[in-house]
Amino acid sequence: MSNDQSSQPDTLNSAERATIDASVAAPVILFFGTAIFWLLFGSFFELISAIKLVWPCFLDGCGLFTYGRTSVVSLNALAYGWATPAAIGIGLWLTARLCRVQLARYKSLMAAGIIWNIGTFVGVAGILIGDNTSISHLNFPGYSTHILLLSFILIAIWAIVTFNQRQSGPLYVSQWFLVAGFFSFPWLFATASQLLIWKPLQASAQPAIAAWFAGGFFNLWLAPMGLAAAFYLIPKTIGRSINSQHLSLLAFWSILLFGAWSGTSRLIGGPLPAWMVSVGVAASVMMIIPALAVALNLHFTLDGHYAPMSWSPALRFTVTGVTMLVFTWVFTAINSLPAVSSVTNFSDITRGLNLLGYYGFFSMTAFGAIYYILPRLTGKEWPSSCLISWHFWLATTAVLLGVSVLLLGGLIQGFALQDIGVTFRSSIEFAYPFRLLAAVAALLIVGANLAFAAVFAGLHWSLRRPGTAPALIAVREENSQEPVAV
Amino acid sequence: MNKLTLLFTGIFLTFGSAWVGLVAYPVANLGHLQPLPNEETGGVNPPTVSGLAVAGQKVYAANGCMECHTQQVRPDPLTTDIAKQLGKRQTVPRDEIREHTPFLGEYRIGQDLSNFGARQTDVAAIHRHLYSPKSVSPWSNMPSYSYLYEYRKVVSQPSANALQGLTGPRAPKPGYEVVPTQQAEALVAYLLSLNQNYPLPESPEPTAK
């Protein structure tokens, strides 16, 4: 184990921790609460879309709920309504704790949270009334992206100020990821909005930029924020430090370097210079390096200490989430090899990998973080361990089911689309049973999210008497040495 | 890695390198493509399209057609797009210059439409399909765009542009007719304009094997 100071998350005593937590509580709860609303909203639209693919008569002939709008609304509501605010909430709390400063400019953050949600609402409404920009992952019309960017600027200013006030000492690995995420997101978002929406370039220049944005949104924004949470929560919950500083460094820099270039791999054979695609493919394959570095580092950290996963919801969700991230990167690497992607591109495999990355990794990790953070902010315990358990198993089953049917069905669909002897009609018929199961997975996700919303509501409105023991999802082993939470 | 400035510089450089390659490079090199003169017709390649077709791009975007249809023909021998007659040659950046947003698409839940205008020229058939895809292809999972059409009572004379030969549950009752709105007309004009059958030097047609 490394003796480096910075492999310790923080060395605060509990009173200091409590003051810092209390100072960030209001904005973080605002971000989490609204995020959970959009999570429900988005997954509900995802369910509608998944049903429509197998049963097109469902809500048909109505412009507001046509497939081309519901599927776009679900993706964007989840990306900007749920994932981004959840990442911001986690980021605010972690920044305050790791920089060991009490929150400054509390009001500007509350304003940022409210503005952000107005922007999301306007964007979703804009898509529904027909102002979709048709740029994947950035479908919100231009008038709403201005609002979102304004909100994020407030947050970024706060983050810069807080990092500058931080108490001296080595930067912990989570802080690297936080800086990277808070830095990348506005740059990605502002560049793409400006060049593709506000003052669009000639269309011939747009594909590379759109792909760069979509790749960066996951690899440079959500992945760093999720990993920042994981690298803090895992050592905290099991009471050990991160195994290797070197592996952390390797993971961090390889994510930044290759993640930034990885987006264009999905445009294989597309209308852009071939070298851009080649670089994208190379970078996507190289994402194996951070995948292994993260997996090994966290595994060695957890080795022999996996037991708390059975009772701590935070640890269970986080470790599951990071495991799915490793699989996302490995599958994406395989899927971007030209021999594979020439068959699988444009198939349901893309939907499967999105599900794995956005829900399997990011949402699960964010759930874990929220399970950890909220009781500390509110001083209350989660109301029902049974519901948490339902949440976990529904979500995990949904991801495993959804991803496996979409990957398998997508493979068959891809071969059908590629084979000269197979008609187009067959590609739809082959995909049908898999899409049916994918709709079941979408239903399970709605169920999981409802369970999560219910525990959140229960905590918020104090359905549990104060002073009771933490909600553990299984009985803690007697004479166990691990502290549950610090 | 304990210095914020060091960390920040590193992030700036890695992020910036990709930004230069994938953002600044296309802005400088692909953002000002011009159509090429066409000696045969005296026009240009790609040909200019009508204002109605340009309006149709907005309808295409608004209704999320891109969620199910791609618009890119990928090259031989990497893929079988050309063998499957989705187009005669690979789609290249210059093909996109007529669009506001390139509708490349990520999913082929429906067919590729890059050259739809080259294989279908029957306007009435396209309207019937958009109004009720299932009446044309019963196995289709394409949504109905009936909301881009007006379902109304025939007053004195049936309208000249009313859809003919509709079958299935969405067919009008006697005394009623289905008339395309401005949006539907624009969308169809746009679909008809999707045709990359003009030569571009940077995208030669593969020679027959």
Side-chain angles (χ1 to χ4, degrees), chain A residues 141-188:
Chain A
Y143 44 80
S144 68
T145 33
H146 280 114
I147 310 179
L148 294 179
L149 195 62
L150 171 71
S151 161
F152 204 88
I153 288 173
L154 291 176
I155 294 163
I157 292 174
W158 174 85
I160 293 170
V161 170
T162 312
F163 263 95
N164 272 328
Q165 292 176 343
R166 77 181 208 286
Q167 296 186 18
S168 60
L171 285 168
Y172 180 63
V173 39
S174 293
Q175 281 168 301
W176 317 340
F177 281 115
L178 290 173
V179 175
F182 277 134
F183 173 82
S184 304
F185 182 74
W187 194 348
L188 282 162

Side-chain angles (χ1 to χ4, degrees), chain A residues 78-100:
Chain A
L78 290 174
Y80 296 103
W82 151 247
T84 299
I88 295 173
I90 294 169
L92 295 181
W93 178 80
L94 271 181
T95 305
R97 266 220 178 172
L98 287 169
C99 296
R100 281 161 277 168

Side-chain angles (χ1 to χ4, degrees), chain B:
Chain B
M1 194 167 53
N2 297 334
K3 290 244 168 53
L4 199 56
T5 40
L6 199 69
L7 173 69
F8 199 76
T9 320
I11 297 175
F12 184 83
L13 289 179
T14 39
F15 192 95
S17 71
W19 189 85
V20 169
L22 298 178
V23 178
Y25 180 89
V27 170
N29 293 290
L30 300 171
H32 309 280
L33 298 185
Q34 296 300 323
L36 302 174
N38 180 336
E39 265 122 47
E40 276 168 45
T41 63
V44 288
N45 291 333
T48 35
V49 295
S50 70
L52 196 59
V54 173
Q57 295 176 9
K58 174 85 174 73
V59 185
Y60 190 91
N63 294 290
C65 309
M66 207 191 75
E67 292 301 297
C68 293
H69 291 285
T70 56
Q71 284 189 31
Q72 45 175 322
V73 180
R74 297 166 300 169
D76 256 356
L78 177 70
T79 69
T80 54
D81 284 3
I82 294 172
K84 289 202 121 183
Q85 301 181 333
L86 300 177
K88 294 208 171 99
R89 57 173 181 81
Q90 179 189 2
T91 305
V92 291
R94 204 184 303 274
D95 289 313
E96 306 291 331
I97 62 181
R98 303 177 298 182
E99 310 273 343
H100 286 300
T101 301
F103 297 127
L104 299 187
E106 291 178 281
Y107 300 103
R108 275 192 190 156
I109 295 174
Q111 294 96 328
D112 184 88
L113 297 179
S114 328
N115 288 286
F116 180 69
R119 57 176 182 265
Q120 173 65 284
T121 47
D122 181 350
V123 175
I126 305 177
H127 276 304
R128 274 199 298 276
H129 181 250
L130 289 175
Y131 179 74
S132 170
K134 268 194 181 301
S135 71
V136 178
S137 320
W139 45 271
S140 177
N141 60 1
M142 171 156 153
S144 155
Y145 291 96
S146 56
Y147 59 89
L148 297 178
Y149 294 81
E150 199 183 330
Y151 186 93
R152 66 185 184 201
K153 224 184 167 94
V154 182
V155 276
S156 65
Q157 284 283 313
S159 317
N161 58 350
L163 304 198
Q164 303 298 324
L166 284 172
T167 53
R170 288 186 187 274
K173 289 198 277 292
Y176 285 82
E177 62 180 4
V178 173
V179 183
T181 60
Q182 189 71 36
Q183 288 196 28
E185 301 280 15
L187 182 60
V188 171
Y190 172 66
L191 291 174
L192 288 171
S193 78
L194 295 174
N195 187 340
Q196 298 173 354
N197 282 348
Y198 44 83
L200 285 182
E202 65 265 41
S203 174
E205 287 183 24
T207 42
K209 275 165 247 156

Side-chain angles (χ1 to χ4, degrees), chain A residues 21-266:
Chain A
D21 284 356
S23 76
V24 285
V28 171
I29 292 173
L30 174 71
F31 275 102
F32 285 165
T34 54
I36 293 169
F37 165 77
W38 288 111
L39 173 70
L40 282 178
F41 182 90
S43 57
F44 192 66
F45 270 77
E46 176 58 35
L47 176 62
I48 297 180
S49 318
I51 295 177
K52 277 168 167 287
L53 271 192
V54 284
W55 186 35
C57 302
F58 181 63
L59 294 175
D60 201 21
C62 161
L64 218 51
F65 293 108
T66 187
Y67 178 83
R69 293 185 191 168
T70 54
S71 66
V72 170
V73 161
S74 92
L75 182 104
N76 287 270
L78 290 174
Y80 296 103
W82 151 247
T84 299
I88 295 173
I90 294 169
L92 295 181
W93 178 80
L94 271 181
T95 305
R97 266 220 178 172
L98 287 169
C99 296
R100 281 161 277 168
V101 283
Q102 290 185 35
L103 182 73
R105 291 196 185 54
Y106 165 112
K107 288 221 175 73
S108 78
L109 282 181
M110 295 299 277
I114 293 166
I115 298 174
W116 184 274
N117 280 285
I118 295 175
T120 309
F121 177 81
V122 172
V124 165
I127 293 174
L128 286 175
I129 61 168
D131 283 339
N132 178 2
T133 61
S134 267
I135 295 158
S136 180
H137 291 79
L138 200 62
N139 301 76
F140 282 169
Y143 44 80
S144 68
T145 33
H146 280 114
I147 310 179
L148 294 179
L149 195 62
L150 171 71
S151 161
F152 204 88
I153 288 173
L154 291 176
I155 294 163
I157 292 174
W158 174 85
I160 293 170
V161 170
T162 312
F163 263 95
N164 272 328
Q165 292 176 343
R166 77 181 208 286
Q167 296 186 18
S168 60
L171 285 168
Y172 180 63
V173 39
S174 293
Q175 281 168 301
W176 317 340
F177 281 115
L178 290 173
V179 175
F182 277 134
F183 173 82
S184 304
F185 182 74
W187 194 348
L188 282 162
F189 194 73
T191 306
S193 301
Q194 171 66 17
L195 298 179
L196 305 179
I197 301 179
W198 298 336
K199 232 174 138 286
L201 293 168
Q202 198 181 30
S204 44
Q206 292 186 24
I209 301 171
W212 166 81
F213 175 80
F217 186 78
F218 185 79
N219 281 332
L220 300 181
W221 166 234
L222 295 185
M225 298 309 272
L227 286 174
F231 274 94
Y232 184 82
L233 298 188
I234 292 175
K236 276 277 182 189
T237 343
I238 60 173
R240 286 166 58 108
S241 22
I242 287 293
N243 178 269
S244 156
Q245 180 80 352
H246 297 293
L247 280 176
S248 305
L249 272 170
L250 177 65
F252 178 75
W253 289 112
S254 53
I255 290 173
L256 272 186
L257 181 61
F258 302 127
W261 286 94
S262 65
T264 43
S265 65
R266 69 191 72 194

